[in-house]
Amino acid sequence: MEFRYVSAPSRLEQRKQQTHQQLIDAAAQMFSEQGYHESSVLDITEAADVSKRTFYLHFADKEAGLMEYMVQKMDVARQKIEEGKAHAEDADMRTKFYHLAREIFEFCQQNPRLMQIAFGDDGSYKLNTLVQQYLANSFEQNIMLDETCRLGFN
């Protein structure tokens, strides 16, 4: 049997991760307060209390920060869906579909600014694509349809 020693992240690595998360949180705050297009990298860096140079060490542009924030939010939603799926293991397809749809709609309701950025007229194409892929994957992974029970509508 082989043992591997896994060391904790160094102090420098912890600081990088902390700064990275600060930037994501500051971007989310600015996008929520001012909107995506009205928020600048300078606004984000001032809210995070870091330099613009630091921002660009972590992200290529503000859209990259937005994308990472959205991935974090979707990961939380996916965890809730997985937890519900585990509790509804023996449920019928209609109940499973209801749970999945409810979680997705709650996510959209709790994140109206993100949904506006993703699907609004002047929103982010990349974010739109990311959210569409997430929704499609969620349905595909969580609702297994077979020939005899198509969403419970026989």
Side-chain angles (χ1 to χ4, degrees), residues 12 14 16 25 27 42-43 64 138 153:
L12 176 62
Q14 288 176 350
K16 284 181 187 178
D25 294 343
L42 181 61
D43 294 329
S138 291
F153 304 111

Side-chain angles (χ1 to χ4, degrees), residues 36-37 63 66-67 70 74 104-105 107-109 111-136 139:
Y36 174 70
H37 292 290
E63 187 173 46
L66 171 67
M67 297 289 286
M70 187 62 167
M74 290 188 308
I104 290 171
F105 287 126
F107 174 80
C108 293
Q109 185 178 26
N111 299 283
R113 279 281 200 183
L114 281 177
M115 295 302 101
Q116 181 62 36
I117 295 166
F119 299 112
D121 292 338
D122 60 347
S124 164
Y125 174 77
K126 287 180 185 178
L127 186 60
N128 180 294
T129 302
L130 179 73
V131 173
Q132 285 182 25
Q133 288 173 344
Y134 167 76
L135 292 174
F139 277 100

Side-chain angles (χ1 to χ4, degrees), residues 4-147:
R4 290 179 154 215
Y5 177 72
V6 179
S7 63
S10 69
R11 201 173 168 108
L12 176 62
E13 191 57 37
Q14 288 176 350
R15 179 72 179 133
K16 284 181 187 178
Q17 291 172 356
Q18 181 182 19
T19 300
H20 192 80
Q21 190 59 49
Q22 274 180 260
L23 285 164
I24 292 170
D25 294 343
Q29 176 188 347
M30 291 295 98
F31 299 152
S32 179
E33 291 174 4
Q34 300 177 176
Y36 174 70
H37 292 290
E38 292 77 18
S39 299
S40 68
V41 170
L42 181 61
D43 294 329
I44 295 166
T45 58
E46 286 178 354
D49 196 27
V50 299
S51 70
K52 283 178 75 172
R53 182 177 182 279
T54 299
F55 179 89
Y56 288 111
L57 289 172
H58 290 266
F59 303 104
D61 53 28
K62 72 177 183 178
E63 187 173 46
L66 171 67
M67 297 289 286
E68 193 157 335
Y69 175 68
M70 187 62 167
V71 168
Q72 287 180 356
K73 297 293 277 185
M74 290 188 308
D75 283 347
V76 171
R78 183 180 304 263
Q79 287 173 349
K80 287 179 74 175
I81 289 168
E82 289 300 318
E83 288 168 7
K85 185 178 172 184
H87 293 301
E89 195 72 28
D90 296 328
D92 64 2
M93 285 303 228
R94 189 175 292 188
T95 302
K96 289 178 182 180
F97 179 79
Y98 172 80
H99 171 72
L100 175 62
R102 189 186 77 232
E103 289 298 334
I104 290 171
F105 287 126
E106 282 180 12
F107 174 80
C108 293
Q109 185 178 26
Q110 292 167 0
N111 299 283
R113 279 281 200 183
L114 281 177
M115 295 302 101
Q116 181 62 36
I117 295 166
F119 299 112
D121 292 338
D122 60 347
S124 164
Y125 174 77
K126 287 180 185 178
L127 186 60
N128 180 294
T129 302
L130 179 73
V131 173
Q132 285 182 25
Q133 288 173 344
Y134 167 76
L135 292 174
N137 288 339
S138 291
F139 277 100
E140 193 174 293
Q141 292 173 4
N142 290 287
I143 303 295
M144 301 300 173
L145 303 178
D146 62 27
E147 298 299 318

